[in-house]
Amino acid sequence: MTLLDDVSHRRFNPLTREWVLVSPHRTRRPWLGQTERAARPAEQAYDPECYLCPGNRRANGEVNPPYPQTLVFPNDFPALQPDASGAAINDSGLIVAEPERGIAKVVCFSPRHDLTLARMSVEEIEPVVKIWTEEYRALGAREEIRWVQIFENRGAMMGASNPHPHCQIWATESLPNEAVKELSSQRAYRSERGGCLLCDYLALELDAKARIVCENEHFVALTPFWAVWPFETLVLPRRHFGAMDEMSAAEARGLADALRRLTIRYDNLFEVAFPYSMGFHQSPTDGVAHPEWHFHAHFYPPLLRSATVRKFMVGFELLGSPQRDITPESAALRLRDAPESHYLDWPAAD
Ligand code: H2U
Ligand code: ZN
């Protein structure tokens, strides 16, 4: 890569078959634009105003039970309706719409309002992985559900409505855009080259080492060669499988451990509760086998150069292609160099 270290270039994303423009020579430009307030972790273990804390009332009037570990409930403001019906519209292939059935749920990771994945132990994250697995399996088994999207918006900057550790699940009748792109790329790769796109990619990255952030026996977190967001990462299992319900107990624990290590490094980068959107891409649940699909998680964090300066997707990025300044290699180096003990646990400096 040395040849491209200091020149504008574009990189190819084989999962989406899209390009990202990289401008490494531009990293020193001054910033006089908008700054954000640094995200501070919630301080109380229980917040009487929080609709996710145990014993509190939600918007629909229901009271949360005194849950000891995790809590799953149907989203009181669901973006999808299970019984959406009506005639599809198709006017000359130009004005096209169809009803979309689906289910939306909320999952609380912990009864503690002040925790985040980075502040939870592996033993505390394991039940979260178990709930994700059960929900993927149960929702995916429904005849009308073809895609189960588990995602976490963390931090007000990413639109999270509440610091209480939680994620959402949207299960849909059709495959969303990203799933369609990734499915077609993984299928084409398998039929043209005989192997798995992400298995082969992981082997290249393990060999190159430049973009590896952290790893354990079962999972590897890396900044993909084609990353768009400054500190974007991809979490990949070493073994080829499509979804959480194919994980062994050791792999489930390995996933909990990988998520913990990665989110601690994120928080330590700027010593803030690092905002991000993350989610899992698992095999479609459309009733056919998916030998091409390699389970993975994407982390898309918006912060760029400090706790208060974020990246915006504007201008050329909306009208052309996404663009980045710092290279994925330098982002990986900074994340790799960040300690694996959380900054809030560091001894106070005198
Ligand atoms: P976000 O933090 O990612 O916005 O997720 C919180 C979800 O919780 C959001 O989708 C739901 C919102 O609709 N919610 C309830 O289901 N019940 C409530 O009492 C408040 C919020
Ligand atoms: Zn709470």
Side-chain angles (χ1 to χ4, degrees):
M1 270 317 292
T2 37
L3 282 179
L4 293 177
D5 267 357
D6 211 29
V7 296
S8 59
H9 61 276
R10 62 181 196 148
R11 297 188 183 194
F12 179 66
N13 179 341
L15 268 181
T16 58
R17 293 186 263 188
E18 291 168 341
W19 293 86
V20 52
L21 179 62
V22 185
S23 319
H25 54 289
R26 195 165 171 255
T27 44
R28 273 176 298 280
R29 93 196 145 106
W31 178 256
L32 295 173
Q34 177 177 321
T35 57
E36 315 277 337
R37 228 171 329 145
R40 296 181 61 80
E43 274 157 20
Q44 326 105 287
Y46 168 77
D47 177 353
E49 301 298 318
C50 169
Y51 56 81
L52 299 177
C53 275
N56 291 1
R57 196 174 294 278
R58 297 206 309 273
N60 72 345
E62 245 174 81
V63 174
N64 295 325
Y67 59 102
Q69 287 181 324
T70 56
L71 174 71
V72 192
F73 61 87
N75 197 313
D76 300 318
F77 307 95
L80 294 144
Q81 299 165 312
D83 49 3
S85 65
I89 298 170
N90 188 336
D91 196 349
S92 313
L94 294 173
I95 296 178
V96 179
E98 58 192 29
E100 174 77 5
R101 289 179 289 171
I103 295 167
K105 292 186 168 188
V106 178
V107 181
C108 297
F109 297 165
S110 161
R112 288 255 316 257
H113 186 80
D114 58 340
L115 292 184
T116 60
L117 286 178
R119 302 292 291 152
M120 290 165 68
S121 64
V122 173
E123 290 69 30
E124 287 169 323
I125 301 174
E126 277 184 286
V128 181
V129 173
K130 187 161 175 268
I131 281 284
W132 289 335
T133 307
E134 288 169 5
E135 289 295 328
Y136 168 79
R137 185 183 288 144
L139 290 166
R142 293 174 65 116
E143 188 271 325
E144 80 281 17
I145 296 299
R146 298 191 177 80
W147 183 256
V148 179
Q149 186 59 60
I150 299 173
F151 64 96
E152 178 189 11
N153 293 323
R154 197 181 102 171
M157 208 184 286
M158 288 314 284
S161 56
N162 186 331
H164 195 114
H166 69 282
C167 74
Q168 297 193 46
I169 305 178
W170 293 15
T172 53
E173 181 170 7
S174 64
L175 267 62
N177 298 342
E178 293 304 301
V180 168
K181 287 185 267 183
E182 291 193 0
L183 178 60
S184 116
S185 306
Q186 290 180 99
R187 263 191 185 148
Y189 189 93
R190 188 177 146 90
S191 72
E192 286 157 24
R193 305 189 36 186
C196 160
L197 190 160
L198 285 174
C199 283
D200 289 359
Y201 173 63
L202 179 60
L204 291 176
E205 290 293 11
L206 288 171
D207 200 38
K209 298 188 175 63
R211 284 168 295 272
I212 304 291
V213 172
C214 55
E215 49 187 308
N216 63 27
E217 198 186 335
H218 300 287
F219 283 86
V220 179
L222 53 88
T223 57
F225 182 70
W226 54 84
V228 164
W229 293 91
F231 293 97
E232 174 177 335
T233 53
L234 183 63
V235 180
L236 293 169
R238 293 183 193 269
R239 186 173 72 83
H240 180 80
F241 60 86
M244 287 181 183
D245 60 349
E246 295 163 64
M247 291 193 295
S248 67
E251 282 166 336
R253 189 177 167 80
L255 177 60
D257 175 70
L259 295 176
R260 176 182 145 80
R261 285 171 194 257
L262 178 62
T263 53
I264 289 176
R265 284 167 188 277
Y266 272 146
D267 280 11
N268 287 343
L269 197 60
F270 301 130
E271 296 184 28
V272 286
F274 205 75
Y276 58 72
S277 269
M278 70 81 73
F280 300 101
H281 279 165
Q282 316 198 55
S283 302
T285 56
D286 51 2
V288 299
H290 284 284
E292 77 290 335
W293 197 277
H294 193 106
F295 171 71
H296 58 278
H298 294 281
F299 277 77
Y300 298 127
L303 289 179
L304 175 57
R305 60 176 79 197
S306 71
T308 58
V309 176
R310 62 162 297 169
K311 174 179 178 60
F312 289 94
M313 283 286 181
V314 293
F316 190 83
E317 320 196 285
L318 284 181
L319 294 152
S321 293
Q323 181 271 347
R324 62 178 296 133
D325 293 348
I326 65 163
T327 60
E329 294 72 37
S330 59
L333 187 62
R334 291 182 62 183
L335 285 170
R336 192 161 62 235
D337 280 351
E340 259 187 20
S341 76
H342 197 274
Y343 73 92
L344 291 174
D345 296 330
W346 295 347
D350 299 321

